[in-house]
Amino acid sequence: MSGARALARRLAVPPLLALPLAAAAAEPCGARLGAGVERAESARYVVAFRPAPAPIAVGRAFALDAEVCPKRAAPRPTGLRVDAHMPEHRHGMNYRATVASAGGARYRAEGLLFHMPGRWQIVFDVEAGAEVERAVRDVPLE
């Protein structure tokens, strides 16, 4: 049985109406962000993100377009915080990023700048009500 038919049967929806639902469920996290998507994962969430401009360069301000996708039965995200730091140097950015909702589970973080070369970590704190779960992605810069 096709995925759309099985979904239609479970939801008691005519098969043709279930096709968009099946396509949305099969779409990988971040597909709507376009090319150049990277991912950070936690136990319950995938954060797909794309820097603009890309690639991230030392001393150049950038933004991140992000989409937060719950895994399995995780609650839908209600917010996102973004920061970055250099673990070996024990410091972060000289700027504080601002994050705005772009609708649904999509967000735009602006005001990021990596002021020196080395290993940076972008930190995504996914909010789901009163709970916060962290996803981290290493970004090496030369």
Side-chain angles (χ1 to χ4, degrees):
M1 179 178 297
S2 78
R5 278 194 188 133
L7 184 61
R9 181 166 286 170
R10 282 195 311 261
L11 298 175
V13 175
L16 289 178
L17 294 178
L19 285 174
L21 294 173
E27 186 175 66
C29 185
R32 291 179 275 175
L33 297 175
V37 171
E38 299 182 50
R39 287 176 178 73
E41 292 195 37
S42 69
R44 299 186 309 159
Y45 296 95
V46 175
V47 179
F49 66 95
R50 188 188 72 197
I56 297 171
V58 174
R60 182 175 71 187
F62 66 96
L64 294 175
D65 292 310
E67 181 175 10
V68 180
C69 304
K71 294 179 181 179
R72 296 173 287 286
R76 294 201 53 78
T78 57
L80 181 69
R81 293 189 308 256
V82 178
D83 200 359
H85 64 269
M86 297 186 83
E88 286 82 6
H89 294 267
R90 298 185 182 183
H91 68 75
M93 297 185 300
N94 294 331
Y95 303 92
R96 186 177 306 265
T98 59
V99 181
S101 174
R106 292 189 318 264
Y107 301 88
R108 181 163 178 96
E110 296 184 321
L112 295 111
L113 187 142
F114 295 165
H115 60 275
M116 63 185 291
R119 182 173 71 100
W120 286 86
Q121 289 185 326
I122 300 176
V123 178
F124 299 94
D125 285 333
V126 178
E127 300 169 347
E131 296 181 21
V132 176
E133 189 162 324
R134 181 164 282 185
V136 178
R137 175 64 180 233
D138 282 357
V139 179
L141 287 183
E142 293 184 23

